[in-house]
Amino acid sequence: MTDAIVAENLTYKYGDLMAVDHINFNVAEGEIFGFLGPNGAGKSTTVKVLTAQMKPKEGKAMVLGMDVTTNVRAVQSEIGVCFELPNMYEQMSALENLKLFARLFGTTDFDGYDLLRRVDLTGREKDRVQNYSKGMRQRLMVARALVSKPKVLFLDEPTSGLDPTSADGIRDIIRKECDRGATVFLTTHDMTEAGELCDRVAFMNQGKLVALDTPHNLKLKYGRRALKAQVAGKGGELEDREVVMDTADTAKAVEQLFSQEKVVTVHSEEATLGAIFMQITGRGLQG
Amino acid sequence: MNARIIAALVMKDIVLIFRNKLFLLITVFGTIAYIAIYFVMPTTVNESLKIGLYSDVTPVPPVFQQLIDKGREGLEVEQLASDQALRDAVDEGQYIAGIALPADILTGDDPQIQLYSRGDTPTEVVQSLDYVVSELAYLQDGQLPVTSQTVLGTDLLGAQIPMRNQLRAILPAILIIVQIFGLATLISEEFEGRTVRAVLVSPANIVDFFSAKVVFGVGMAFGQGLLIVAIIGGLGTQAGIAILTIFLASLVVTGIGFLAGAFSKDNMSAVSWSFVVMMLLLMPAMTALTPGAVSVWVKIIPSYYFVDTLHRAGNFGMGISDLWPNLLIMFGFAAVFISLGILALRRKVR
Ligand SMILES: Nc1ncnc2c1ncn2[C@@H]1O[C@H](COP(=O)(O)OP(=O)(O)O)[C@@H](O)[C@H]1O
Ligand SMILES: [Mg+2]
């Protein structure tokens, strides 16, 4: 399979500030690719370069086999972009906004009502966007990215600031787009979302790509699974015990725990992508 | 350039402009207000009318000398050295009218006082001047003189221009100038709402975006200008020149609208900028019809040429042979403002 997106030594600077620092990755066709990192990591800058909004200062970006700096119109005809900040025509209705972009893309088989139904905006199609709530705007932004049934979707934090139900709805749409055959480039700082949704995830930190693999492999490689237990102490009070899993001594430690102590509760703890990120970069995701 | 994309963007702009309440308000009320202002204007202009005077007798008869020294009801009278100098000065528009007193004004049985004016001197001015002069001469020697009026300038053949016809020149200019406001706010909203980003990341590129804005700006100004000219009967004579003038004026205001939009960081500053610019442009639009009152600085403002050209073409039937300098100047203004406007917007898009 060919790669839908290729970044080679991709670099972007704002003046002296190195926002994206010589990063390399490939995204296969049909893949959901998670691009993770805290605020300021360089995620949006990478999206802007990949979608031909800005020229890389160094390196190369290819989308569907085309160099984005020299094939701007061709690339932009094949992609759908959901921007980080809302940029709808506020004085127009949701339907009018979608129709405008369908015309710009030359999409003929376009059904605005159906698209708005998918993002749960049924009944509000003809309301002006200026009367929409933040969450409704965000969902409309996702809908607009889908107008042209793009081959590659770039979604810059599409679920940020959404209520859990709306966020679930968006994640559902992303899966369906993937089923349709689209490649999805998803930036997020929600590690749970990335773990659930993405085939592979890339960790960005201060403009650099610090890890890239499937969530499963990352957990295997960095993640530490543990058995957490509460035992009854001598005076009857509860004490915490932890047994690290996947080591040579694990079996013995588990046996000791159960034979020597009075175990009250026990559960296993999975490594989260968030913990792994912390482990690799030494910083959390909300910074 | 892609015609389908440009058409889609233009249609979007048309939808948006007619949802801009402030713009609609200004278009409607602005037009009404300026018509009203216009009807009030003649009295205020008359207050500073400059009249030239030549007397074939020395000393100048006392009542006329008094007129030179003190003026009268806002008339400012200056004495000239010869009849020819007076005619030339009136012809060049230095004075709105001229008075020539004959040698026999004090002695003759039937002295003839000459009144000089230009074809575009308002009839009311000549009439009231005639009255004033006759009255003064009567005071001087107790007999009613004969005045004869001479219209100078070969082009403007003494046509009397009713107020309604003068509006033919001024109304289209007002409507066209108001488009600056609409265009400037539309553009600043594209940037403030970041919608320009969304459009540029679609198959539409920057050339499409600018083309659409030019088509929209020129279309709005040209369409409305032409419509009002047609309604008030300004296409009766020299229709070709009127249409060309409106088209060039539309290009000029589109360029200025681009500039005002590019320099505004938000909707409020777009409103303020375009108001400043519109006020500046409306001033010469008002004065262009009263040549006696035109000062040189007005001629550096593009709107002077819209009104002057529409006025001369529509009300005096002047053709390309007389008006080509005006058209050329407007063409220059159009080229300069459109280029500057696109340049400024380009910088803003980066
Ligand atoms: N327009 C800009 N001008 C200057 N610096 C910027 C600009 N946009 C982003 N940056 C800086 O570039 C870095 C990466 O930003 P960004 O790509 O937006 O990060 P993320 O999307 O991961 O939060 C940050 O340090 C940010 O402050
Ligand atoms: Mg971002």
Side-chain angles (χ1 to χ4, degrees):
Chain A
M1 220 192 306
T2 49
D3 287 320
I5 305 170
V6 179
E8 272 176 33
N9 269 325
L10 199 65
T11 303
Y12 194 88
K13 286 182 194 171
Y14 296 101
D16 283 339
L17 183 112
M18 186 70 101
V20 174
D21 191 357
H22 300 88
I23 63 173
N24 292 280
F25 62 85
N26 297 25
V27 181
E29 261 180 33
E31 189 177 14
I32 302 179
F33 188 81
F35 208 61
L36 284 81
N39 288 335
K43 305 183 296 293
S44 297
T45 304
T46 307
V47 170
K48 284 176 188 158
V49 174
L50 291 176
T51 55
Q53 298 179 58
M54 306 191 303
K55 285 192 166 66
K57 302 286 165 179
E58 244 182 85
K60 197 158 109 171
M62 311 269 285
V63 169
L64 298 166
M66 298 176 281
D67 190 322
V68 297
T69 45
T70 51
N71 300 278
V72 177
R73 175 122 53 179
V75 167
Q76 289 180 339
S77 300
E78 302 289 352
I79 64 176
V81 182
C82 175
F83 297 81
E84 186 174 29
L85 298 169
N87 52 4
M88 287 285 161
Y89 287 100
E90 298 271 322
Q91 314 296 326
M92 303 201 308
S93 72
L95 203 57
E96 285 170 327
N97 269 286
L98 297 188
K99 276 187 181 155
L100 168 64
F101 281 81
R103 284 198 197 103
L104 295 181
F105 278 96
T107 311
T108 43
D109 58 336
F110 159 74
D111 183 348
Y113 285 96
D114 183 57
L115 201 47
L116 290 170
R117 183 191 51 74
R118 288 177 65 188
V119 293
D120 212 10
L121 289 171
T122 299
R124 303 298 299 270
E125 298 95 340
K126 291 185 171 167
D127 284 9
R128 292 204 187 159
V129 178
Q130 61 184 350
N131 299 323
Y132 273 26
S133 72
K134 183 169 176 278
M136 289 166 73
R137 279 196 175 82
Q138 188 66 43
R139 275 153 28 214
L140 180 57
M141 291 289 290
V142 174
R144 188 178 64 186
L146 306 181
V147 158
S148 62
K149 303 193 175 65
K151 292 198 178 116
V152 185
L153 258 177
F154 290 90
L155 307 171
D156 196 352
E157 308 209 19
T159 57
S160 107
L162 282 188
D163 62 273
T165 321
S166 297
D168 275 343
I170 301 282
R171 289 193 270 269
D172 203 42
I173 288 173
I174 295 174
R175 284 191 200 94
K176 292 218 172 78
E177 285 299 300
C178 179
D179 292 343
R180 178 176 67 77
T183 306
V184 180
F185 187 94
L186 171 75
T187 83
T188 178
H189 56 236
D190 182 337
M191 289 292 170
T192 322
E193 171 174 292
E196 276 174 30
L197 210 55
C198 299
D199 297 314
R200 286 189 305 150
V201 293
F203 284 168
M204 279 289 276
N205 188 35
Q206 294 174 339
K208 290 195 169 69
L209 203 69
V210 290
L212 170 62
D213 213 327
T214 63
H216 180 73
N217 284 347
L218 283 173
K219 284 175 189 170
L220 281 188
K221 193 167 168 192
Y222 298 98
R224 199 188 56 141
R225 297 190 300 158
L227 210 60
K228 297 263 186 180
Q230 285 181 313
V231 298
K234 290 195 181 79
E237 75 287 353
L238 291 179
E239 288 171 19
D240 289 329
R241 295 286 182 273
E242 186 187 85
V243 178
V244 177
M245 291 165 74
D246 307 312
T247 68
D249 300 330
T250 302
K252 206 168 128 201
V254 171
E255 199 192 323
Q256 270 182 6
L257 177 70
F258 280 91
S259 58
Q260 293 172 10
E261 306 211 59
K262 216 169 151 188
V263 177
V264 181
T265 68
V266 63
H267 68 273
S268 70
E269 197 179 71
E270 281 288 321
T272 63
L273 285 178
I276 296 169
F277 188 89
M278 179 81 105
Q279 203 178 320
I280 295 173
T281 63
R283 66 191 280 214
L285 276 165
Q286 303 297 336
Chain B
M1 282 253 248
N2 179 314
R4 182 197 78 233
I5 288 174
I6 294 172
L9 291 174
V10 170
M11 272 164 61
K12 176 261 303 172
D13 282 341
I14 291 172
V15 167
L16 288 176
I17 199 76
F18 285 109
R19 291 185 185 171
N20 185 332
K21 292 201 183 67
L22 192 53
F23 172 75
L24 289 182
L25 211 71
I26 285 167
T27 308
V28 175
F29 283 91
T31 310
I32 293 171
Y34 279 108
I35 294 172
I37 287 171
Y38 181 76
F39 278 109
V40 176
M41 261 192 55
T43 49
T44 47
V45 170
N46 284 353
E47 277 169 23
S48 57
L49 289 182
K50 278 174 82 178
I51 308 287
L53 184 142
Y54 164 70
S55 173
D56 215 3
V57 280
T58 25
V60 178
V63 286
F64 286 99
Q65 187 58 52
Q66 212 174 0
L67 191 65
I68 294 168
D69 296 341
K70 294 194 180 137
R72 179 184 158 128
E73 283 162 18
L75 287 186
E76 227 182 275
V77 181
E78 282 174 15
Q79 191 175 1
L80 282 99
S82 73
D83 187 55
Q84 192 56 46
L86 176 63
R87 292 172 73 113
D88 290 346
V90 171
D91 193 18
E92 282 163 17
Q94 285 177 38
Y95 301 103
I96 195 159
I99 306 165
L101 305 176
D104 60 353
I105 181 142
L106 297 174
T107 55
D109 295 333
D110 210 8
Q112 287 250 341
I113 298 179
Q114 275 287 340
L115 290 183
Y116 297 124
S117 63
R118 289 188 359 150
D120 50 1
T121 305
T123 330
E124 303 87 338
V125 171
V126 184
Q127 286 306 300
S128 51
L129 200 61
D130 194 332
Y131 174 76
V132 168
V133 167
S134 305
E135 187 194 281
L136 288 177
Y138 182 74
L139 279 178
Q140 186 69 55
D141 62 358
Q143 65 171 322
L144 213 53
V146 176
T147 58
S148 80
Q149 299 180 4
T150 305
V151 177
L152 299 171
T154 43
D155 304 314
L156 314 175
L157 289 171
Q160 296 186 5
I161 308 301
M163 203 73 102
R164 206 154 50 93
N165 287 10
Q166 299 192 355
L167 280 180
R168 283 178 185 165
I170 209 156
L171 262 184
I174 292 168
L175 262 184
I176 290 172
I177 289 167
V178 168
Q179 302 310 312
I180 290 173
F181 172 79
L183 200 55
T185 49
L186 205 68
I187 286 172
S188 79
E189 273 166 12
E190 290 264 17
F191 286 95
E192 204 186 355
R194 296 175 297 271
T195 46
V196 56
R197 277 270 144 244
V199 168
L200 293 180
V201 176
S202 81
N205 63 24
I206 191 136
V207 177
D208 299 324
F209 183 79
F210 285 145
S211 306
K213 285 278 181 280
V214 171
V215 169
F216 169 76
V218 173
M220 283 287 287
F222 185 66
Q224 293 187 51
L226 204 59
L227 194 72
I228 190 106
V229 167
I231 289 172
I232 62 184
L235 294 179
T237 48
Q238 299 293 353
I241 295 211
I243 293 170
L244 183 60
T245 304
I246 294 169
F247 180 71
L248 291 173
S250 304
L251 280 172
V252 172
V253 294
T254 301
I256 295 175
F258 279 14
L259 280 172
F263 283 110
S264 311
K265 54 183 190 315
D266 55 28
N267 202 31
M268 268 327 289
S269 65
V271 172
S272 340
W273 268 114
S274 38
F275 264 90
V276 170
V277 174
M278 276 160 37
M279 286 304 145
L280 235 123
L281 288 175
L282 284 168
M283 275 191 283
M286 294 297 159
T287 55
L289 295 181
T290 49
V294 172
S295 38
V296 183
W297 67 267
V298 156
K299 296 195 176 184
I300 62 165
I301 297 180
S303 53
Y304 170 78
Y305 297 92
F306 315 167
V307 180
D308 191 51
T309 313
L310 285 180
H311 183 50
R312 287 164 188 253
N315 293 331
F316 298 104
M318 284 191 187
I320 196 95
S321 55
D322 293 306
L323 294 175
W324 67 266
N326 268 14
L327 293 172
L328 202 67
I329 290 169
M330 279 199 290
F331 188 82
F333 273 125
V336 167
F337 279 111
I338 285 279
S339 312
L340 285 180
I342 289 182
L343 226 66
L345 280 186
R346 247 209 123 91
R347 272 179 67 103
K348 195 155 172 168
V349 176
R350 265 163 296 163

